[in-house]
Amino acid sequence: MSGSSPSVCADAGAHAEPAVIELAHGSGGRLTHALIDEIFRPAFGAAPEDLTHDGATLALEAGSERLAFTTDSYVVRPLFFPGGDIGSLSIHGTVNDLAMCGAEPRYLSVGLVIEEGLRIDVLRSVIASMRAAASASAVRIVTGDTKVVERGKGDGLYVNTTGVGVVRARSPIGPQQVQPGDAVILSGDVGRHGMAILALREGIRFETEIVSDCAPLAAQALGMIDADIEIHCLRDLTRGGLATNLIEIAEIAGATIALDEGAIPISDVVRGACEILGLDPLYVANEGRFAAIVPTEHASAALAHLRRFDSQAAIIGHVDRGAGHARVLLRTLGGTRELDMLNGEQFPRIC
């Protein structure tokens, strides 16, 4: 994050490796990447292209249908929030990760870690929400697991979902495919999920209630594939928000992404709330927004398609031609500033 930002994540600079796990290790920012690159990747023998996207794609046999699979865990607090709950969030999140691989979501597993003392009616409500979300995305929940931990050890309920889908994209989709000259398209306004959680958690009331953007994204993503729109990369903008996710893409692609601040849709209530709390909306988490990076000649068609779902979808920037330096630049009325990946944790337990 820019040094001009008042956000709590503006603690860039020399950063000694912590000796214990901190909340910021789960932020999706620098410390998360350090865990992956320094511990997980070498231990798992991961190839350079592994662990870089929302899910993995593979063919079980040569010439067979390609599959995508992904997994995610959900620890949001509180369990219910304006616009969703941990149940719908856990289904949408994994469905969206498959969609970002260009895959049609098919099957999910559900793992529940339940704390002793959780009310049965609360659990029923969460499960009903999961069922409704799965039905809306036409995915089947086919296996799962349940564990109960002692009172005080589980914070109510944690959920893990794993998903399998069939890849429909004809060409690979991922950060490695990003090319100079590509357009960057945002599927809607940003920042509503993170601010909805924070406002509820902290008891902050605004004139207009902030409702999470939590929603499935498969129809938007797969619709572009069906319309023969060439797609180089898709990324849902969860932890770390728009900025951190685009920085990650730029670093993997070895490209510069230039953004136009005035083109990025942010609602007035989210912008105002961020100003009050000293947060940068570009780093606030979303659960129903994604960035699509497509060749310039396909940008108009992609934008028209996405505006069928959200009128605020917008072209917000492009990948610089001949960039050669991995970074994200934000053009503002006052000039241009380089965005930094999230170093700390703006607020935890939002997904």
Side-chain angles (χ1 to χ4, degrees):
M1 181 175 288
S2 166
S4 64
S5 169
S7 166
V8 295
C9 66
D11 59 351
H15 187 89
E17 179 181 2
V20 298
I21 291 295
E22 300 175 354
L23 281 172
H25 281 102
S27 70
R30 291 287 178 201
L31 289 182
T32 303
H33 283 261
L35 282 185
I36 294 171
D37 294 337
E38 298 168 14
I39 298 180
F40 303 153
R41 188 182 296 282
F44 298 154
E49 67 273 18
D50 293 339
L51 308 179
T52 62
H53 197 26
D54 291 300
T57 60
L58 71 163
L60 298 181
E61 297 177 354
S64 68
E65 205 168 40
R66 286 188 300 151
L67 301 178
F69 77 101
T70 187
T71 189
D72 210 338
S73 298
Y74 300 87
V75 297
V76 65
R77 180 175 62 87
L79 298 179
F80 299 87
F81 51 85
D85 55 69
I86 193 171
S88 58
L89 176 67
S90 66
I91 301 298
H92 294 330
T94 294
V95 163
N96 292 347
D97 283 344
L98 292 171
M100 296 301 104
C101 297
E104 177 183 336
R106 293 284 184 85
Y107 303 104
L108 300 182
S109 72
V110 172
L112 302 172
V113 178
I114 307 171
E115 181 185 354
E116 178 188 21
L118 182 72
R119 294 198 338 246
I120 289 292
D121 64 323
V122 171
L123 180 62
R124 285 186 184 278
S125 180
V126 170
I127 296 303
S129 180
M130 297 179 79
R131 176 180 178 178
S135 177
S137 293
V139 293
R140 289 182 59 203
I141 298 171
V142 292
T143 187
D145 179 58
T146 301
K147 296 289 189 299
V148 177
V149 297
E150 297 94 333
R151 191 183 300 268
K153 301 292 185 181
D155 208 7
L157 177 67
Y158 300 145
V159 179
N160 172 272
T161 50
T162 297
V164 175
V166 176
V167 176
R168 282 173 39 181
R170 288 170 284 281
S171 301
I173 292 176
Q176 294 90 345
Q177 312 308 318
V178 170
Q179 300 294 322
D182 285 351
V184 181
I185 305 175
L186 185 59
S187 67
D189 64 310
V190 294
R192 285 202 279 119
H193 177 72
M195 296 312 300
I197 296 292
L198 183 62
L200 179 63
R201 188 183 296 172
E202 302 301 327
I204 302 171
R205 292 188 177 183
F206 301 100
E207 188 172 333
T208 301
E209 183 182 42
I210 301 177
V211 177
S212 169
D213 48 55
C214 182
L217 298 171
Q220 292 95 316
L222 299 179
M224 289 196 290
I225 295 171
D226 293 341
D228 290 326
I229 295 170
E230 186 175 336
I231 302 169
H232 286 166
C233 187
L234 299 171
R235 177 60 59 91
D236 58 339
L237 307 171
T238 54
R239 294 176 305 172
L242 174 68
T244 298
N245 282 279
L246 289 185
I247 292 168
E248 181 180 311
I249 291 171
E251 291 184 346
I252 295 171
T256 290
I257 295 176
L259 302 178
D260 181 356
E261 184 180 49
I264 299 172
I266 303 169
S267 71
D268 290 341
V269 64
V270 166
R271 190 183 299 280
C274 286
E275 288 177 357
I276 292 171
L277 298 171
L279 299 171
D280 187 333
L282 300 185
Y283 291 84
V284 175
N286 312 274
E287 288 295 341
R289 297 288 181 264
F290 70 98
I293 301 181
V294 306
T296 299
E297 59 270 29
H298 290 259
S300 295
L303 180 62
H305 168 75
L306 293 177
R307 282 185 170 170
R308 291 170 51 198
F309 297 88
D310 192 319
S311 62
Q312 296 193 77
I315 297 173
I316 61 170
H318 65 278
V319 181
D320 267 348
R321 295 183 184 279
H325 179 58
R327 56 185 179 173
V328 175
L329 300 176
L330 182 70
R331 289 195 300 265
T332 69
L333 290 175
T336 299
R337 67 181 173 100
E338 182 172 347
L339 301 179
D340 292 328
M341 187 173 283
L342 199 63
N343 271 317
E345 177 68 284
Q346 288 202 105
F347 36 92
R349 310 281 302 278
I350 45 82
C351 61

